[in-house]
Amino acid sequence: MYNIVSYLLFLAISSYIIVDVGRRCFDSGKIYLEYLIKDKDFCLTVNRILLASYYLVNLGYIAINLSFWNKISNIEELLTNVSTRIGIIVLILCALHFINIATLFILRKKLTIK
């Protein structure tokens, strides 16, 4: 019983976080990509591909994550397990965000040097 509740709680929270962060990065990323890529149609295509890749990486992580859960027998284990796994997803999202920002920064530097 606790496992089903923890799965549902984990899926609800992680789905909300992933969709919200994905939308925000997609909307905000347009500005950076338009600065680097002057073709707006190509920029939109690249941004959509980045968003799709982002969703696929996160959905893959969630699917793998769900397969490795042990049996949960009380509320304390449920909260600990769900919060730890949500925390890992948030840390992964932060790492992906900073890698993207660093990449865009490096590309911008290379474009301004030329």
Side-chain angles (χ1 to χ4, degrees):
M1 174 64 180
Y2 287 114
N3 276 40
I4 294 172
V5 172
S6 66
Y7 293 158
L8 293 174
L9 189 61
F10 174 73
L11 287 172
I13 294 170
S14 61
S15 297
Y16 172 76
I17 290 171
I18 289 168
V19 170
D20 186 52
V21 170
R23 271 291 131 200
R24 289 174 192 247
C25 288
F26 180 79
D27 293 338
S28 299
K30 288 178 191 175
I31 298 165
Y32 294 109
L33 288 174
E34 285 175 0
Y35 178 79
L36 295 172
I37 305 168
K38 302 303 180 201
D39 183 3
K40 288 195 179 216
D41 291 333
F42 183 66
C43 176
L44 184 60
T45 302
V46 168
N47 206 16
R48 286 180 180 156
I49 290 171
L50 287 171
L51 182 64
S53 300
Y54 164 83
Y55 285 144
L56 289 173
V57 165
N58 284 292
L59 289 173
Y61 174 77
I62 288 172
I64 290 171
N65 200 341
L66 286 175
S67 68
F68 287 107
W69 279 17
N70 296 324
K71 183 162 175 52
I72 297 173
S73 56
N74 59 41
I75 296 288
E76 183 179 350
E77 287 178 6
L78 184 147
L79 293 175
T80 302
N81 204 359
V82 170
S83 63
T84 300
R85 291 172 190 272
I86 293 294
I88 291 170
I89 286 179
V90 170
L91 290 174
I92 289 171
L93 293 178
C94 288
L96 289 173
H97 175 70
F98 283 119
I99 289 169
N100 284 338
I101 294 298
T103 303
L104 290 173
F105 179 76
I106 291 168
L107 288 173
R108 184 176 179 183
K109 283 281 196 188
K110 286 183 178 182
L111 286 177
T112 56
I113 290 174
K114 291 182 179 182

